[in-house]
Amino acid sequence: MLKQTVEYYTLGGSRVFLCFVDFSTAFDKVNYWKLFRMLLNDSFDFYCVKLLVFWYSNQMACVPWRNSTSSAFHIGNGTKQGAVLSPYLFTYYVRDIISSIVNCGVGCHVGEYCINLFAYADTMVLLAPAWSAMQKMLTILKTVCTKYDIVINTQKTVCMVVNPKCLRKSLCVSFPQFALDNRN
């Protein structure tokens, strides 16, 4: 879908701005008590949520280092690394972030569909045919991420521009850097 959307725009004479968003230790930052409240508020099965509460509230870990291992300690937040449910739970946790971007009305449109975000677990790609639309989505993303204590890793987040197939239709060839929290 990503490739087809980009191709649709570039063949039509437009460029596409893409932003590959990286979240800092995304799975570790999930406040699972907030997640459990979200699940219960959406009428998830009470006993399934209760099972998740038991699993997550009784997590213990220890850290091996060189030839020794630390004492066991309690894990107070985050989703389990490598667990089958973790991508689903994380995606559910960030659904307000996803819906804020999807429903903002800017980005690429194919027919009546707005195609401005692709997401799976902690991987997110934003698409827009204009610099200003991408900047607006990044501003929305930062605002909603702050609400959920999710940090965007600006060192690993990458933006790129795919030029139209026919460059002579282009009016502008350079663009300002994108800003996230007053940082480029």
Side-chain angles (χ1 to χ4, degrees), residues 53-74:
V53 167
F54 177 79
W55 282 346
Y56 278 89
S57 62
N58 289 296
Q59 291 183 98
M60 300 293 286
C62 54
V63 178
W65 189 65
R66 294 192 180 176
N67 294 329
S68 61
T69 302
S70 73
S71 301
F73 57 91
H74 178 74

Side-chain angles (χ1 to χ4, degrees), residues 4-67:
Q4 289 175 336
T5 303
V6 170
E7 192 170 282
Y8 174 82
Y9 271 82
T10 57
L11 287 174
S14 179
R15 58 179 41 92
V16 179
F17 293 84
L18 299 152
C19 185
F20 298 85
V21 180
D22 182 76
F23 298 107
S24 298
T25 58
F27 281 59
D28 297 335
K29 299 278 184 175
V30 171
N31 178 330
Y32 54 72
W33 296 110
K34 198 179 276 189
L35 172 65
F36 299 148
R37 272 193 301 279
M38 292 167 74
L39 292 169
L40 289 172
N41 289 342
D42 286 352
S43 301
F44 269 70
D45 183 78
F46 174 77
Y47 294 103
C48 288
V49 176
K50 190 173 178 178
L51 179 63
L52 289 171
V53 167
F54 177 79
W55 282 346
Y56 278 89
S57 62
N58 289 296
Q59 291 183 98
M60 300 293 286
C62 54
V63 178
W65 189 65
R66 294 192 180 176
N67 294 329

Side-chain angles (χ1 to χ4, degrees), residues 143-161:
T143 301
V144 184
C145 281
T146 301
K147 178 180 174 184
Y148 289 92
D149 302 320
I150 296 173
V151 178
I152 300 168
N153 183 345
T154 57
Q155 300 300 311
K156 291 185 178 178
T157 295
V158 177
C159 294
M160 63 183 276
V161 181

Side-chain angles (χ1 to χ4, degrees), residues 127-148:
L127 295 90
W131 179 92
S132 58
M134 179 60 74
Q135 183 59 63
K136 181 177 180 177
M137 288 191 295
L138 288 170
T139 301
I140 292 167
L141 178 68
K142 175 61 179 165
T143 301
V144 184
C145 281
T146 301
K147 178 180 174 184
Y148 289 92

